[in-house]
Amino acid sequence: MSAQTDRYESAVARYLEAWNASAPEALGKAVAAAWTPDGRYTDPLAEAGGHEQIAALIAGAHEQFPGFVFRLSGGVDGHHDTARFSWELVSEADGSAPVAGFDVITLDGEGRIRSVLGFLDRVPTGA
């Protein structure tokens, strides 16, 4: 594995750790570890900037989908300061994955996320 590939995979691991953190203190720490202070998140349903807004967005996802976790679906691909990957939102109870998508992240020089562009491939009706 090249240093660049490891950089992308580490950034995605921190990103998923943030999305899976549920306790407020753990969520705040995970968001700060994954994103730059002025980091941005954008998908078709939401837009957030800065650690507080991103943490609030993630907390809202936990409220909407209790008992679900985000998991990587496939590999991480990247070049320069950009990486892409697919993910699923999986029920811990039955393994179903009603939500899936892929994200494109841009990293700073230290490997923290400056921006996320999210695309939703599968969303349940009414979500």
Side-chain angles (χ1 to χ4, degrees):
M1 177 184 317
S2 74
Q4 197 70 336
T5 300
D6 184 51
R7 178 176 179 240
Y8 304 135
E9 290 181 355
S10 294
V12 171
R14 286 191 309 275
Y15 175 79
L16 292 173
E17 183 178 329
W19 276 98
N20 288 324
S22 56
E25 186 175 325
L27 175 56
K29 287 181 180 179
V31 167
W35 270 272
T36 61
D38 61 345
R40 305 223 25 101
Y41 176 90
T42 305
D43 72 21
L45 303 175
E47 188 170 7
H51 291 171
E52 285 185 28
Q53 286 184 9
I54 292 168
L57 176 69
I58 292 170
H62 285 282
E63 288 174 16
Q64 188 174 4
F65 294 96
F68 284 77
V69 294
F70 287 87
R71 291 199 184 133
L72 188 63
S73 173
V76 177
D77 183 32
H79 62 82
H80 296 86
D81 290 331
T82 305
R84 67 179 177 167
F85 57 94
S86 296
W87 53 266
E88 292 182 315
L89 183 60
V90 180
S91 168
E92 294 180 296
D94 66 12
S96 64
V99 182
F102 78 91
D103 292 348
V104 177
I105 61 175
T106 303
L107 305 175
D108 73 357
E110 297 175 6
R112 289 177 39 194
I113 298 168
R114 292 185 323 175
S115 68
V116 176
L117 296 176
F119 296 84
L120 302 173
D121 297 325
R122 183 172 60 241
V123 180
T125 304

